[in-house]
Amino acid sequence: MKNKSNKRSNILLFLASLLVAFIIAEVFLWKFYTHLGTFPKSGEKYCIAYSEYLPFTTPAGIDFHHKSEANEFEVDYRFDANGFRKTNIQRQTNSDNKILLMGDSYTLGWGSHEDSCFAARIARYENEKGYQVLNAGYTASCSPDAYFAYLERNINTIRPKVVIVFLYTGNDRRDMQTTYWERTNAQGFPVRIRSLRFYSDYMGKIIRLENNEVPMLYKIPVLNRSRILVGLSNLFLKKEQTKTEALYKLYKSLNGIQQICKSYHTNLFMFLIPPKSLYNGKQDKEEKELILFSSALRVLEIPNYSLQNDLDTTCYFSIDKHFNDKGNRLSYSKMISVLDTVLR
């Protein structure tokens, strides 16, 4: 009996020691490694929503108020029933003459009023010529692989005469390091894409958590605040892909967009948007990325145009990295000069 009692005491002592060690480790990590995150209960509200086949999309049929942290801008995004950002255009157009714009936050018009972003300026100009312009910035998510998946699913319904893809060389390849192709079609092109990132939607809810795309531990209120347990759980999550893998995905996705546009006899061309950092002392790094994108498009023989020589640092917000009114205006001028040649 005494041996059993001693054994039970030793087990309890061992478990108590583990618990104390766990608590000490947690306190230490919380105090001295504040950069280590735990799973958030909620996030900053963001003008995106869940998509069952894209990393995210835009919320259909709502208005979203956006005020920057530094009070640099305050705007509203209005989304129609298809998730396209609205403009105030009133004139009716031929529904067969559609121009579809795809891209990330620049195409959406991040920080810009709906009538001043370059997409809205294009829409006003082309509307007078009988075209309907659909701004699918963020509607098709934010990277070329998602643009293909969106186009593959929706081109037969939209039937655009022209597709314009805006590639942001500042992070498009980087974004594809954090996506994984959960499902591909017979040609190996992505048709269901998930993200490793914990995006929060327009309600502030974490998209992956709300839609059961994280381990069970992340859903347990107390345990998901533990740096140790969450850290251990993260060991079993998918990891970011390499730059080489992302480069392959870039070529594959651009080729997929090209093929599907050809099959629908849709004109396709692309614009390269440079990051603000290109004009702020990071020329070598950013120019290499521009060359990489240009090379990919040249190999695939996709008509493309770079905005590199049309902009400078004054075209971006002082704090935010997106276009200010000048950047939108100059970008629009370059884009319209191209469109006038292509659509005349």
Side-chain angles (χ1 to χ4, degrees), residues 111-128:
S112 297
H113 294 287
E114 61 187 28
D115 289 333
S116 64
C117 62
F118 67 71
R121 293 169 190 257
I122 292 172
R124 280 199 305 275
Y125 182 86
E126 294 301 336
N127 182 259
E128 291 300 317

Side-chain angles (χ1 to χ4, degrees), residues 72 158 228 246 267:
E72 196 169 18
I158 298 173
I228 295 175
N267 290 313

Side-chain angles (χ1 to χ4, degrees), residues 24-36 227-228:
I24 292 173
E26 281 284 359
V27 171
F28 179 82
L29 291 173
W30 275 91
K31 184 174 180 60
F32 296 103
Y33 289 84
T34 54
H35 61 283
L36 294 178
R227 281 188 161 87
I228 295 175

Side-chain angles (χ1 to χ4, degrees), residues 43-47 64 66 200-205:
E44 182 180 351
K45 292 181 180 180
Y46 207 55
C47 55
F64 182 84
H66 181 192
S200 55
D201 67 11
Y202 66 99
M203 299 291 289
K205 296 180 180 179

